[in-house]
Amino acid sequence: MSAPASSPAPAPVPEPAPAPESAEEAEETRSGLVRTLTTILLNVSVLTALLVYFGWVRSDRMAAELGIDESILRMSVEDYLLRSVRSVFVPVLFVGLAALAWVGFDRWWASRRARDPHDPIATWFARWMWAIALGVIVGGFLLGFVGLAWTFIAGPLIAAGGLLLVAYSFRLRSTLPGAVAVSSTTEAVFRGATALLVAVGVFYSAHNYAIVEGTSLAADYERVVAGLPGVEVDSTKPLDLTAPGVIALCTSDGENTRYRYTGLRLLDRTGENYWLVSDGWTREYGAVMALPTDGDGTRFTFVRDTDGQRDSGAFAPCDGETATVE
């Protein structure tokens, strides 16, 4: 009895090639990370807290450089918000410009692939964009050690841009032959983690800008103090305002004496106080004085002329001397 003829082995079934990414899927991939990042940044509570924090960082740094503690200024939430605008505006401006540059590159890459799916330049970018992204991240970290103001600000922002390029490189590699698809859960976790890290990078960039701005304002203060609004303080009682450049004047009608202090400049108005500095303020010695805005018997005159003083009329130096500190 002859052995039954063996049936031929089935031919191996070729693995299916990855399906080309549809226009809807590509759009979903591109916009998903943007939506996640926007949700984090545009949350009203988070945004308000960040703005207040940036305003506080700027004010704290400037107060420290002026030789006072920020807490004595008793700033309100509104004060912090108003002082945080520039700290947020500059990083957001660069984020917007970088986003436009990315859109231009993506359109260029997509048009080359549409004309020729095997275009060598488009394929090279799809394979090696991750290396470019890592280089951008490392460059952003290294910039933080250069020691310049602009590198201190730009370093975290550039590193955050590198993280976005990493996410973009994964999408480009998914278009190559033999690419392995990832699960929706993995993609969602990756997208959320990337968005969170990018938000941290933008946060630190704005934080560093607030530090640089506060330090710069204080460093230039000695040079610009003469351009601040001049202030004359009239009072029914002596205020003992003693600082370089402050002059105490008096006038009397026999029973009552009024006092006038000139050589003062308006630093700020926060809470219920005017914060004043003198014409002779320097980084070596300079006083910051606080006077209540509604002090009993006190009147403030804000002067616009060049030296912040005007004709004192009947006022003369108290006791024939000027109250000034050399």
mmCIF file of all heavy atoms in Angstrom, residues 188-214:
data_model
loop_
_atom_site.group_PDB
_atom_site.id
_atom_site.type_symbol
_atom_site.label_atom_id
_atom_site.label_comp_id
_atom_site.label_asym_id
_atom_site.label_seq_id
_atom_site.Cartn_x
_atom_site.Cartn_y
_atom_site.Cartn_z
ATOM 1 N N ALA A 188 -1.578 58.214 23.119
ATOM 2 C CA ALA A 188 -2.198 59.226 23.975
ATOM 3 C C ALA A 188 -1.295 59.594 25.137
ATOM 4 O O ALA A 188 -1.155 60.764 25.498
ATOM 5 C CB ALA A 188 -3.546 58.721 24.481
ATOM 6 N N VAL A 189 -0.643 58.574 25.749
ATOM 7 C CA VAL A 189 0.272 58.844 26.861
ATOM 8 C C VAL A 189 1.466 59.655 26.373
ATOM 9 O O VAL A 189 1.896 60.628 27.024
ATOM 10 C CB VAL A 189 0.736 57.531 27.501
ATOM 11 C CG1 VAL A 189 1.842 57.788 28.521
ATOM 12 C CG2 VAL A 189 -0.435 56.820 28.170
ATOM 13 N N PHE A 190 2.017 59.258 25.237
ATOM 14 C CA PHE A 190 3.163 59.986 24.681
ATOM 15 C C PHE A 190 2.790 61.435 24.371
ATOM 16 O O PHE A 190 3.539 62.371 24.662
ATOM 17 C CB PHE A 190 3.646 59.279 23.419
ATOM 18 C CG PHE A 190 4.685 60.051 22.655
ATOM 19 C CD1 PHE A 190 5.991 60.117 23.118
ATOM 20 C CD2 PHE A 190 4.346 60.710 21.485
ATOM 21 C CE1 PHE A 190 6.946 60.841 22.416
ATOM 22 C CE2 PHE A 190 5.298 61.443 20.791
ATOM 23 C CZ PHE A 190 6.605 61.501 21.248
ATOM 24 N N ARG A 191 1.616 61.624 23.799
ATOM 25 C CA ARG A 191 1.172 62.972 23.437
ATOM 26 C C ARG A 191 0.985 63.834 24.687
ATOM 27 O O ARG A 191 1.406 64.997 24.721
ATOM 28 C CB ARG A 191 -0.136 62.879 22.653
ATOM 29 C CG ARG A 191 -0.654 64.189 22.108
ATOM 30 C CD ARG A 191 -1.994 63.969 21.424
ATOM 31 N NE ARG A 191 -1.865 63.000 20.336
ATOM 32 C CZ ARG A 191 -2.905 62.458 19.715
ATOM 33 N NH1 ARG A 191 -4.138 62.736 20.118
ATOM 34 N NH2 ARG A 191 -2.725 61.624 18.718
ATOM 35 N N GLY A 192 0.369 63.256 25.715
ATOM 36 C CA GLY A 192 0.152 64.023 26.935
ATOM 37 C C GLY A 192 1.452 64.362 27.644
ATOM 38 O O GLY A 192 1.627 65.482 28.139
ATOM 39 N N ALA A 193 2.383 63.391 27.701
ATOM 40 C CA ALA A 193 3.665 63.644 28.355
ATOM 41 C C ALA A 193 4.461 64.714 27.616
ATOM 42 O O ALA A 193 5.081 65.587 28.233
ATOM 43 C CB ALA A 193 4.471 62.345 28.434
ATOM 44 N N THR A 194 4.436 64.651 26.289
ATOM 45 C CA THR A 194 5.145 65.662 25.500
ATOM 46 C C THR A 194 4.551 67.043 25.720
ATOM 47 O O THR A 194 5.280 68.029 25.898
ATOM 48 C CB THR A 194 5.103 65.300 24.012
ATOM 49 O OG1 THR A 194 5.666 63.995 23.820
ATOM 50 C CG2 THR A 194 5.878 66.311 23.187
ATOM 51 N N ALA A 195 3.224 67.126 25.714
ATOM 52 C CA ALA A 195 2.574 68.412 25.935
ATOM 53 C C ALA A 195 2.917 68.979 27.300
ATOM 54 O O ALA A 195 3.159 70.184 27.459
ATOM 55 C CB ALA A 195 1.052 68.261 25.781
ATOM 56 N N LEU A 196 2.962 68.115 28.325
ATOM 57 C CA LEU A 196 3.289 68.566 29.674
ATOM 58 C C LEU A 196 4.718 69.093 29.745
ATOM 59 O O LEU A 196 4.980 70.155 30.327
ATOM 60 C CB LEU A 196 3.100 67.413 30.658
ATOM 61 C CG LEU A 196 3.353 67.734 32.134
ATOM 62 C CD1 LEU A 196 2.398 68.811 32.629
ATOM 63 C CD2 LEU A 196 3.210 66.475 32.978
ATOM 64 N N LEU A 197 5.671 68.359 29.143
ATOM 65 C CA LEU A 197 7.069 68.793 29.170
ATOM 66 C C LEU A 197 7.270 70.078 28.377
ATOM 67 O O LEU A 197 8.070 70.949 28.772
ATOM 68 C CB LEU A 197 7.965 67.685 28.619
ATOM 69 C CG LEU A 197 8.061 66.425 29.487
ATOM 70 C CD1 LEU A 197 8.877 65.351 28.778
ATOM 71 C CD2 LEU A 197 8.686 66.755 30.838
ATOM 72 N N VAL A 198 6.558 70.219 27.265
ATOM 73 C CA VAL A 198 6.655 71.462 26.484
ATOM 74 C C VAL A 198 6.110 72.634 27.300
ATOM 75 O O VAL A 198 6.684 73.731 27.303
ATOM 76 C CB VAL A 198 5.895 71.319 25.150
ATOM 77 C CG1 VAL A 198 5.773 72.668 24.446
ATOM 78 C CG2 VAL A 198 6.615 70.327 24.244
ATOM 79 N N ALA A 199 5.001 72.415 27.998
ATOM 80 C CA ALA A 199 4.447 73.468 28.848
ATOM 81 C C ALA A 199 5.446 73.878 29.930
ATOM 82 O O ALA A 199 5.586 75.061 30.251
ATOM 83 C CB ALA A 199 3.135 72.998 29.478
ATOM 84 N N VAL A 200 6.167 72.893 30.498
ATOM 85 C CA VAL A 200 7.185 73.206 31.504
ATOM 86 C C VAL A 200 8.307 74.045 30.891
ATOM 87 O O VAL A 200 8.797 75.010 31.496
ATOM 88 C CB VAL A 200 7.758 71.906 32.109
ATOM 89 C CG1 VAL A 200 8.981 72.191 32.981
ATOM 90 C CG2 VAL A 200 6.688 71.201 32.935
ATOM 91 N N GLY A 201 8.711 73.700 29.656
ATOM 92 C CA GLY A 201 9.756 74.474 28.993
ATOM 93 C C GLY A 201 9.343 75.912 28.745
ATOM 94 O O GLY A 201 10.113 76.844 28.975
ATOM 95 N N VAL A 202 8.106 76.113 28.282
ATOM 96 C CA VAL A 202 7.601 77.465 28.066
ATOM 97 C C VAL A 202 7.510 78.215 29.393
ATOM 98 O O VAL A 202 7.833 79.407 29.489
ATOM 99 C CB VAL A 202 6.230 77.424 27.362
ATOM 100 C CG1 VAL A 202 5.639 78.820 27.224
ATOM 101 C CG2 VAL A 202 6.351 76.774 25.983
ATOM 102 N N PHE A 203 7.084 77.510 30.445
ATOM 103 C CA PHE A 203 6.993 78.116 31.773
ATOM 104 C C PHE A 203 8.352 78.618 32.237
ATOM 105 O O PHE A 203 8.492 79.756 32.697
ATOM 106 C CB PHE A 203 6.446 77.087 32.763
ATOM 107 C CG PHE A 203 6.555 77.499 34.201
ATOM 108 C CD1 PHE A 203 5.581 78.277 34.795
ATOM 109 C CD2 PHE A 203 7.648 77.101 34.968
ATOM 110 C CE1 PHE A 203 5.692 78.660 36.120
ATOM 111 C CE2 PHE A 203 7.764 77.483 36.293
ATOM 112 C CZ PHE A 203 6.776 78.269 36.874
ATOM 113 N N TYR A 204 9.380 77.778 32.109
ATOM 114 C CA TYR A 204 10.702 78.172 32.576
ATOM 115 C C TYR A 204 11.274 79.309 31.735
ATOM 116 O O TYR A 204 12.006 80.167 32.247
ATOM 117 C CB TYR A 204 11.652 76.980 32.570
ATOM 118 C CG TYR A 204 11.700 76.290 33.912
ATOM 119 C CD1 TYR A 204 11.046 75.080 34.118
ATOM 120 C CD2 TYR A 204 12.379 76.865 34.978
ATOM 121 C CE1 TYR A 204 11.071 74.462 35.356
ATOM 122 C CE2 TYR A 204 12.416 76.247 36.220
ATOM 123 C CZ TYR A 204 11.755 75.043 36.402
ATOM 124 O OH TYR A 204 11.777 74.440 37.621
ATOM 125 N N SER A 205 10.959 79.324 30.462
ATOM 126 C CA SER A 205 11.426 80.426 29.630
ATOM 127 C C SER A 205 10.813 81.741 30.089
ATOM 128 O O SER A 205 11.509 82.762 30.208
ATOM 129 C CB SER A 205 11.074 80.154 28.161
ATOM 130 O OG SER A 205 11.520 81.206 27.333
ATOM 131 N N ALA A 206 9.492 81.743 30.355
ATOM 132 C CA ALA A 206 8.838 82.954 30.857
ATOM 133 C C ALA A 206 9.372 83.327 32.236
ATOM 134 O O ALA A 206 9.560 84.508 32.556
ATOM 135 C CB ALA A 206 7.327 82.750 30.900
ATOM 136 N N HIS A 207 9.615 82.324 33.083
ATOM 137 C CA HIS A 207 10.183 82.564 34.418
ATOM 138 C C HIS A 207 11.555 83.234 34.301
ATOM 139 O O HIS A 207 11.846 84.223 34.997
ATOM 140 C CB HIS A 207 10.294 81.225 35.147
ATOM 141 C CG HIS A 207 11.074 81.278 36.425
ATOM 142 N ND1 HIS A 207 12.439 81.075 36.470
ATOM 143 C CD2 HIS A 207 10.686 81.520 37.700
ATOM 144 C CE1 HIS A 207 12.853 81.189 37.710
ATOM 145 N NE2 HIS A 207 11.814 81.457 38.488
ATOM 146 N N ASN A 208 12.404 82.724 33.408
ATOM 147 C CA ASN A 208 13.735 83.300 33.235
ATOM 148 C C ASN A 208 13.661 84.709 32.664
ATOM 149 O O ASN A 208 14.460 85.584 33.021
ATOM 150 C CB ASN A 208 14.577 82.408 32.325
ATOM 151 C CG ASN A 208 14.907 81.079 32.975
ATOM 152 O OD1 ASN A 208 14.654 80.873 34.159
ATOM 153 N ND2 ASN A 208 15.451 80.164 32.214
ATOM 154 N N TYR A 209 12.691 84.940 31.767
ATOM 155 C CA TYR A 209 12.539 86.284 31.222
ATOM 156 C C TYR A 209 12.136 87.267 32.316
ATOM 157 O O TYR A 209 12.606 88.411 32.345
ATOM 158 C CB TYR A 209 11.490 86.289 30.105
ATOM 159 C CG TYR A 209 11.380 87.630 29.401
ATOM 160 C CD1 TYR A 209 12.180 87.916 28.300
ATOM 161 C CD2 TYR A 209 10.495 88.604 29.846
ATOM 162 C CE1 TYR A 209 12.094 89.141 27.662
ATOM 163 C CE2 TYR A 209 10.403 89.828 29.214
ATOM 164 C CZ TYR A 209 11.209 90.092 28.124
ATOM 165 O OH TYR A 209 11.131 91.313 27.508
ATOM 166 N N ALA A 210 11.255 86.833 33.221
ATOM 167 C CA ALA A 210 10.855 87.707 34.329
ATOM 168 C C ALA A 210 12.054 88.046 35.212
ATOM 169 O O ALA A 210 12.195 89.184 35.676
ATOM 170 C CB ALA A 210 9.760 87.030 35.156
ATOM 171 N N ILE A 211 12.940 87.070 35.460
ATOM 172 C CA ILE A 211 14.141 87.329 36.259
ATOM 173 C C ILE A 211 15.044 88.337 35.550
ATOM 174 O O ILE A 211 15.532 89.299 36.152
ATOM 175 C CB ILE A 211 14.890 86.019 36.519
ATOM 176 C CG1 ILE A 211 14.089 85.120 37.465
ATOM 177 C CG2 ILE A 211 16.276 86.289 37.096
ATOM 178 C CD1 ILE A 211 14.733 83.778 37.714
ATOM 179 N N VAL A 212 15.261 88.124 34.258
ATOM 180 C CA VAL A 212 16.135 89.023 33.501
ATOM 181 C C VAL A 212 15.548 90.428 33.459
ATOM 182 O O VAL A 212 16.267 91.423 33.626
ATOM 183 C CB VAL A 212 16.348 88.478 32.072
ATOM 184 C CG1 VAL A 212 17.036 89.510 31.189
ATOM 185 C CG2 VAL A 212 17.171 87.200 32.116
ATOM 186 N N GLU A 213 14.242 90.526 33.253
ATOM 187 C CA GLU A 213 13.612 91.841 33.171
ATOM 188 C C GLU A 213 13.698 92.580 34.505
ATOM 189 O O GLU A 213 14.030 93.772 34.560
ATOM 190 C CB GLU A 213 12.148 91.702 32.748
ATOM 191 C CG GLU A 213 11.469 93.043 32.516
ATOM 192 C CD GLU A 213 10.010 92.895 32.112
ATOM 193 O OE1 GLU A 213 9.421 91.835 32.399
ATOM 194 O OE2 GLU A 213 9.468 93.834 31.532
ATOM 195 N N GLY A 214 13.391 91.880 35.608
ATOM 196 C CA GLY A 214 13.476 92.514 36.912
ATOM 197 C C GLY A 214 14.887 92.960 37.245
ATOM 198 O O GLY A 214 15.106 94.061 37.760
#
